[in-house]
């Protein structure tokens, strides 16, 4: 199993004694989409580990064999790796990585969550049994009807972006199960949360942020809407604003302790 070049996991050490950031990429994505954010956070002193979720950044066939529980275990593995260098950990996730961050914050001892471009539910909620049945006949579906890269503001960044070109249907069923788990967990989230979404996201519509925010159990919750970005806010033109907001959020929480 070969990881696609430039899409490997990463670790940037930061400074001793500082809280660490566990960076979690999205559905069909790769650690690469979190790498610039990891570099930035490391320069702020925060040790940053970008993990690879099971079945990602290799071949789409590997993703089809993965289950949503495998993605949860990938986060848990990364958490324990990062806990070897720091006592305090923040979960920082994009899209499905945001779903995992919110869910796993109720299962792991973390200090806070930054969840970006996070869906509350699938655009169309097909029954899981139907998705599984469909996957026996149709392995992949297009990600959207738009021309690939059309919603990106930074075209140069899109040219270097990596993700699987289509969505595996069987994996969509697993993602739906993961979303079910997240929705149940939201009232149990008791750590500070920063939600970030682009108003120009056409893949996971920005309206998804509101029900997540409303159902969070924590009283320390913040919404930030950005523009000049599509779905992958960590790579698109608004990325500096996203990085700075995440760093300021962590610094605020740490200062209060």
């Amino acid at each position: 199993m070969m990881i696609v070049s430039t899409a490997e996991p990463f670790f940037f050490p930061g400074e001793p004694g500082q809280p660490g950031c566990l960076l979690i990429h999205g559905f069909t994505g790769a650690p690469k989409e979190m790498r610039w954010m990891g570099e930035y956070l490391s320069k702020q002193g925060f040790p940053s580990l970008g993990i690879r979720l099971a079945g990602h950044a290799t071949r789409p066939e590997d993703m089809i064999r993965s289950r949503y529980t495998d993605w949860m275990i990938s986060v848990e593995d990364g958490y324990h790796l990062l806990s070897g260098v720091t006592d305090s950990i923040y979960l920082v996730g994009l899209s499905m990585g945001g779903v995992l961050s919110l869910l796993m914050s109720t299962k792991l001892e973390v200090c806070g969550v930054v969840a970006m471009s996070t869906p509350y539910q699938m655009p169309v909620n097909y029954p899981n049994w139907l998705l599984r049945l469909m996957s026996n006949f149709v392995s992949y579906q297009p990600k959207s009807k738009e021309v690939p890269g059309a919603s990106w503001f930074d075209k140069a960044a899109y040219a270097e972006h990596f993700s699987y070109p289509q969505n595996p249907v069987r994996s969509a069923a697993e993602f739906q199960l993961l979303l079910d788990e997240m929705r149940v967990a939201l009232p149990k989230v008791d750590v500070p949360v920063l939600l970030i979404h682009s108003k120009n996201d056409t893949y996971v519509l920005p309206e998804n942020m509101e029900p997540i925010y409303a159902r969070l159990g924590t009283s320390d919750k913040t919404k930030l809407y950005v523009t000049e970005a599509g779905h992958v806010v960590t790579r698109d033109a608004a990325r500096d604003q996203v990085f700075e907001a995440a760093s300021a959020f962590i610094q605020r929480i740490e200062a209060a302790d």
Side-chain angles (χ1 to χ4, degrees), residues 70-248:
D70 296 321
W71 303 333
M72 293 170 64
I73 290 168
S74 296
V75 175
E76 190 170 356
D77 285 347
Y79 173 88
H80 290 301
L81 278 172
L82 190 55
S83 66
V85 298
T86 179
D87 295 329
S88 304
I89 294 176
Y90 290 79
L91 301 181
V92 182
L94 174 74
S95 194
M96 186 173 79
V99 175
L100 285 163
S101 296
L102 291 166
L103 171 59
M104 296 306 289
S105 76
T106 67
K107 301 177 183 297
L108 302 169
E109 188 174 336
V110 302
C111 299
V113 171
V114 179
M116 302 165 285
S117 307
T118 306
Y120 178 74
Q121 60 188 15
M122 301 281 268
V124 180
N125 285 310
Y126 293 111
N128 261 48
W129 66 264
L130 179 58
L131 285 173
R132 291 197 189 100
L133 180 64
M134 287 171 54
S135 70
N136 293 319
F137 305 98
V138 181
S139 296
Y140 304 99
Q141 284 190 324
K143 291 189 171 183
S144 70
K145 295 179 180 179
E146 68 179 26
V147 176
S151 62
W152 283 65
F153 285 72
D154 187 334
K155 301 302 182 185
Y158 172 72
E160 297 180 351
H161 180 62
F162 171 81
S163 67
Y164 293 147
Q166 294 180 302
N167 288 334
V169 176
R170 184 64 181 81
S171 300
E174 295 299 316
F175 192 9
Q176 195 153 273
L177 290 170
L178 182 65
L179 285 166
D180 291 344
E181 294 272 359
M182 180 202 71
R183 287 192 292 269
V184 170
L186 286 175
K188 304 173 189 174
V189 175
D190 60 0
V191 296
V193 174
L194 171 62
L195 300 174
I196 304 176
H197 216 118
S198 173
K199 290 186 175 180
N200 302 117
D201 190 343
T202 58
Y203 189 61
V204 174
L205 297 180
E207 291 78 23
N208 280 269
M209 187 196 281
E210 298 300 331
I212 293 174
Y213 180 87
R215 287 163 176 77
L216 281 169
T218 180
S219 59
D220 188 342
K221 50 186 179 179
T222 306
K223 293 183 289 187
L224 173 63
Y225 286 102
V226 299
T227 55
E228 301 297 313
H231 181 59
V232 187
V233 294
T234 52
R235 299 284 292 185
D236 216 338
R239 58 184 176 267
D240 288 344
Q241 183 184 359
V242 171
F243 300 167
E244 290 164 7
S247 178

Side-chain angles (χ1 to χ4, degrees), residues 3 6-14 21-25 30-42 46-53 78 81-82 85 92 234-235 243:
I3 298 176
T6 77
E8 302 90 351
F10 58 83
F11 174 68
F12 301 117
C21 297
L22 186 65
L23 294 104
I24 309 162
H25 66 77
K32 182 175 184 176
E33 63 195 22
M34 306 299 289
R35 190 177 186 94
W36 286 344
M37 189 170 196
E39 289 175 343
Y40 176 90
L41 291 170
S42 175
F46 309 126
S48 297
L49 174 64
I51 62 169
R52 181 182 70 87
L53 297 174
L81 278 172
L82 190 55
V85 298
V92 182
T234 52
R235 299 284 292 185
F243 300 167

